[in-house]
Amino acid sequence: MTNLPPPAEELRFLDAELRQLDLRRAALLRRRAWLVHTLRASAARQPALGPGAAPVGPSAGTGTAARRPEATAPGVQNVLLVLGGVLLTIAAIAFTLVSWGHLGIAGRALVLGALTAGALGVPVALLRRGLRSTAEAVAALGTALTVLDAYALHEVAFTGTDGVGYTATASAVLATLWAVYGVCLGLRHPLPLAVATAHLPLLLWAVAVGAGPYTLTAVSLVTAAGGTAVALRAAPLPVRIVAVTGALGTGAAGVLSAGWLCWSASGPGPAARAAALLLVAAALALVAGRFVPRPEVSMGAALAAGLCVVAGAGGVLRATVPGEWTVPGCLACAIALLAAERTPLHRPLRQGLVRASAAVQGLAVLWTLPLVTGCVLGPAVRVARPWSGTPQDFRDAVFAGLPRPPYAGTAPLVLAVVAAVLVVAGRRGARRPAFTVGALVLGWAALLVLPAVLQLPYAAGLVTHAVVVAAALSFAVRSGRADERLSPPALTALLLALVASVSLALASAASEPATIAVLATLTVLFAAAGLRPGPAPFTAPAALCHATALACAIGASAGRPPHHTALLVLVVPAVAALIASRTGRSRATVPVEVAGAAAGLLALALAVPEPTMLALVLSLCGAVAAATALRPERRAAGWAAAALFLLATWVRLAAWDVAAPEAYTLPVTGPVLVLGLLRRRRDAAVSSWAAYGSGLAVTLVPSLLAAWDDQHWLRPLALGVAALAVTLAGARHRLQAPLVLGPAVLALVALHELAPYLTQVVGALPRWAPPALAGLVLLVLGATYEQRLRDARRLREALGRLG
């Protein structure tokens, strides 16, 4: 039987063989590349072969393909023809401009006529021979010569005529001639050139006769209509591209001009004339969109048509009605465009008109954005000067020191109308939740800005905002699901209620009674909404935040200092801990605890200036944390409670001017040692360092540092006794941490106490005694080095066997 190697050995052998194959293949590829390069270089140095010579080199059996040409024959042909046509055109222009004056009238006519006739007639013969590209090049020269003929004719025969008018006539004649010439001969370039030139005559004639802006705008639209007709009817692609480009350019210029004339008109008459031009542009866009085969282009044309209609109507309204009603008028026109959904128009056209309506409605909503932003954020200015006095009306309370948006009287109407449109549009279809969310936001904004727009009394404005908050909370509560999850409309309503409540609380800061009443109302509203599990993660923390603000307001109203107000604020963390214990593991537990912790931090910040009150607040916070730690899932809060109690003790000691470090360290050492003892009883594997090391070090080390600078005997004596007791306890229970820390502290204390006597002894000895003593010690240590190492090893093993 074959003796197979182990798998690992066989795998190593295969890897080695594969590496050898890779190296061999790389060497062969390098050799092949060198051979190919050598053959190509030799082929490039050989002279051209005769007709009967045999090929030598890469094409003669080496397997190397012949070098491909870098340019194709048609490409070379086109380059040559274009270059030739360009050179001839340049020569003709130079002849016309430079050498024209050296010839008489007959010579001029003969030369230009002969050149033009020849350039336009030669393509006929070339086409019969099948040379279409050459014919195109020569015909291009002919078309360029016709332009020179028109220029020369003006310089000779029509010198006194207006240049703009002559250019208009010449462009019309040339466009016609080029179109006929291209159609008759079937050439490609004359027709696009004729279409591009055909966009000039009407505009140039209007400029020549001194037409006004309305006439020029109408001429631009008529030109765009002609270009659109050509684009829809023409078959060749270049002609359609030129026609579409020209129609878009002239049409855009006409629409922009008409819009500017309509919105800058000084009276209804001029505005109506410009609006009529915009309606013409809209009709042109709709007709073009109807016959365009691509749906997206039809939709874009209908969108442009809808915007033109609304712009025209808005311009007329701006010149007719007061300024604040311009945007509502445009909004009404945009809503009227929605009726296109019930018309027999082409579907892309209907979609485009609906999108135009949506765009105008979006712009109308953006117009109201400064007012809404001011109503939400404007009251924040009151925080810098709280309780400065009751404003005259609610608008003064909102825009205190801020600029007021102009023409904002109809903003609530605009928001309400758009919200109603969204409600109607969202009755059916898959987008109903999105439409409902949009309607909620707009309706909320309309109610929010209404008191400022109507200049309601201050109290009435606060009541209106409170009603808005209550309505939003009610909608969120009623729209909640059974599985404690909020639907998008309910979540939106809840967020709107939170924003409105903050704005209301800020607006109430102008008056002391209003502040207390509003904060109490908001606390009750959000607390009531927090009884439902769905909105509770949002409403319960909001209620606690408003309650915290209410506590601060009550303390300030009573004239109490901030550190006394801190005790009132501590009610909020206590209530939060109680609520969290009742909610269990619901989604509202963590937000409630965070809100309570934030209130506790605020209470601590208020009590900082008064150390005695700060110690009391810390103790109360520790009590709340200890109560929280009673819950099984919040055992970690016990550490926070211990830290708070310790900080309270330290602050109290500092307030009493206690400087002894033991007063600060012993309250830490006792609980830590007790915890270590309990821990070792539960788990015997816990080391003495983990159980008692930190507790002993917290007291022994600071006391040792204090005793080192203490000149009295009481502290060193007490510390020595304590260290001796720790040492004896460690020896009794065979614990490593007490046996290391106790003797070390005791030795250092003894050294500190004996230091003066040692100094005296050293001073009494001769100068040679210390070096002699050091040398003797070194000799003894060197002589017994091995024994000392063995003893040290035994001591380490003995300590390791201790607990």
Side-chain angles (χ1 to χ4, degrees):
M1 296 180 64
T2 305
N3 185 16
L4 296 176
E9 184 66 22
E10 185 178 1
L11 180 61
R12 186 188 63 79
F13 176 79
L14 292 177
D15 290 340
E17 290 294 328
L18 289 175
R19 284 195 297 271
Q20 293 296 329
L21 290 175
D22 290 338
L23 293 175
R24 182 58 179 167
R25 185 174 184 276
L28 292 176
L29 288 176
R30 288 195 297 270
R31 180 62 179 174
R32 181 183 181 280
W34 180 83
L35 292 174
V36 169
H37 175 72
T38 303
L39 291 174
R40 287 179 177 176
S42 61
R45 290 193 298 269
Q46 286 181 356
L49 296 175
V56 178
S59 60
T62 62
T64 304
R67 188 178 303 175
R68 298 180 60 184
E70 297 181 356
T72 61
V76 175
Q77 167 191 310
N78 293 335
V79 170
L80 295 177
L81 291 177
V82 171
L83 181 59
V86 169
L87 292 177
L88 289 175
T89 303
I90 294 173
I93 294 173
F95 170 76
T96 304
L97 297 178
V98 178
S99 303
W100 183 260
H102 300 289
L103 299 176
I105 295 176
R108 298 170 187 173
L110 180 62
V111 171
L112 279 179
L115 289 175
T116 304
L120 295 177
V122 169
V124 177
L126 293 175
L127 290 173
R128 291 176 180 175
R129 295 178 176 270
L131 303 175
R132 176 168 292 274
S133 299
T134 307
E136 289 281 355
V138 177
L141 174 62
T143 54
L145 289 175
T146 55
V147 178
L148 296 177
D149 289 339
Y151 169 74
L153 186 62
H154 177 268
E155 294 295 324
V156 174
F158 301 99
T159 307
T161 59
D162 179 52
V164 179
Y166 179 80
T167 304
T169 305
S171 60
V173 173
L174 289 176
T176 305
L177 291 177
W178 291 341
V180 173
Y181 183 70
V183 171
C184 293
L185 295 185
L187 298 175
R188 289 190 296 268
H189 83 277
L191 286 179
L193 189 60
V195 171
T197 309
H199 288 79
L200 301 177
L202 289 179
L203 291 173
L204 293 177
W205 276 329
V207 174
V209 300
Y214 290 91
T215 305
L216 288 174
T217 303
V219 168
S220 297
L221 294 178
V222 171
T223 304
T228 303
V230 173
L232 294 175
R233 301 289 296 179
L237 180 60
V239 176
R240 290 203 304 270
I241 292 176
V242 173
V244 169
T245 304
L248 289 177
T250 54
V255 169
L256 293 176
S257 177
W260 180 81
L261 291 173
C262 187
W263 282 81
S264 62
S266 57
R273 291 198 298 272
L277 294 175
L278 287 173
L279 291 178
V280 171
L284 176 61
L286 285 176
V287 172
R290 174 62 183 84
F291 295 100
V292 172
R294 300 181 63 179
E296 59 272 14
V297 178
S298 299
M299 191 182 304
L303 174 64
L307 294 178
C308 288
V309 171
V310 176
V316 174
L317 290 173
R318 191 199 66 83
T320 306
V321 300
E324 60 185 5
W325 288 98
T326 302
V327 175
C330 294
L331 180 60
C333 296
I335 295 174
L337 289 178
L338 295 176
E341 279 287 346
R342 301 183 180 274
T343 60
L345 287 175
H346 195 46
R347 178 178 176 81
L349 296 181
R350 297 200 307 268
Q351 293 178 347
L353 292 176
V354 170
R355 293 192 178 188
S357 175
V360 175
Q361 293 180 53
L363 292 176
V365 172
L366 288 178
W367 173 74
T368 65
L369 190 59
L371 178 63
V372 177
T373 305
C375 290
V376 173
L377 302 179
V381 181
R382 292 284 180 181
V383 179
R385 295 180 293 104
W387 299 350
S388 57
T390 304
Q392 295 181 356
D393 52 47
F394 195 75
R395 188 177 67 176
D396 293 336
V398 171
F399 291 98
L402 296 177
R404 301 172 183 175
Y407 303 121
T410 56
L413 177 62
V414 170
L415 293 170
V417 170
V418 178
V421 171
L422 290 177
V423 170
V424 175
R427 288 182 177 178
R428 58 184 181 276
R431 296 185 179 181
R432 181 176 182 179
F435 284 129
T436 304
V437 169
L440 280 174
V441 174
L442 295 179
W444 169 84
L447 294 176
L448 194 70
V449 302
L450 188 61
V453 171
L454 297 180
Q455 299 184 18
L456 295 180
Y458 179 64
L462 294 179
V463 172
T464 303
H465 275 208
V467 170
V468 172
V469 175
L473 287 177
S474 177
F475 182 87
V477 170
R478 293 184 178 182
S479 301
R481 300 175 180 174
D483 57 352
E484 299 187 6
R485 297 184 62 185
L486 293 175
S487 61
L491 180 60
T492 303
L494 196 55
L495 295 178
L496 294 177
L498 292 173
V499 174
S501 67
V502 174
S503 176
L504 176 59
L506 294 175
S508 67
S511 173
E512 178 180 346
T515 301
I516 296 176
V518 165
L519 290 176
T521 303
L522 292 176
T523 302
V524 172
L525 286 176
F526 281 95
L531 297 177
R532 297 293 295 271
F538 300 90
T539 54
L544 293 175
C545 292
H546 289 304
T548 303
L550 177 62
C552 295
I554 292 175
S557 177
R560 308 306 300 173
H563 57 274
H564 288 173
T565 305
L567 295 177
L568 188 59
V569 174
L570 281 179
V571 177
V572 177
V575 174
L578 180 61
I579 295 173
S581 64
R582 296 297 182 87
T583 56
R585 296 182 180 273
S586 69
R587 296 187 296 115
T589 303
V590 174
V592 166
E593 291 175 343
V594 171
L601 291 177
L602 177 61
L604 292 175
L606 293 174
V608 164
E610 185 64 29
T612 305
M613 188 61 67
L614 178 60
L616 178 58
V617 172
L618 285 169
S619 300
L620 295 177
C621 290
V624 174
T628 302
L630 295 177
R631 294 156 49 196
E633 70 275 9
R634 291 291 184 268
R635 296 299 187 195
W639 297 102
L644 290 171
F645 285 131
L646 180 61
L647 289 176
T649 304
W650 286 355
V651 171
R652 175 64 67 178
L653 292 174
W656 289 341
D657 296 330
V658 176
E662 291 80 8
Y664 296 90
T665 58
L666 287 176
V668 180
T669 298
V672 171
L673 292 179
V674 172
L675 291 176
L677 178 61
L678 297 176
R679 186 179 178 186
R680 280 183 59 85
R681 286 183 178 180
R682 288 196 306 265
D683 187 5
V686 177
S687 66
S688 61
W689 287 104
Y692 309 117
S694 58
L696 294 175
V698 165
T699 295
L700 293 177
V701 174
S703 298
L704 179 63
L705 295 177
W708 200 262
D709 293 332
D710 197 346
Q711 302 299 326
H712 301 282
W713 58 271
L714 182 58
R715 186 190 300 276
L717 177 61
L719 181 59
V721 171
L724 179 61
V726 170
T727 304
L728 295 177
R732 171 68 178 79
H733 298 284
R734 302 179 65 185
L735 299 177
Q736 188 181 72
L739 281 176
V740 173
L741 294 176
V745 172
L746 184 59
L748 291 175
V749 170
L751 179 62
H752 173 266
E753 294 301 317
L754 296 177
Y757 303 102
L758 293 176
T759 303
Q760 294 177 3
V761 171
V762 172
L765 292 176
R767 295 180 178 272
W768 53 265
L773 181 60
L776 181 61
V777 170
L778 292 176
L779 288 175
V780 173
L781 290 177
T784 60
Y785 184 74
E786 184 178 359
Q787 182 64 33
R788 294 297 175 267
L789 289 179
R790 187 181 300 110
D791 294 341
R793 190 180 302 110
R794 291 177 179 176
L795 177 61
R796 183 179 60 189
E797 293 175 354
L799 290 176
R801 287 192 297 270
L802 295 177

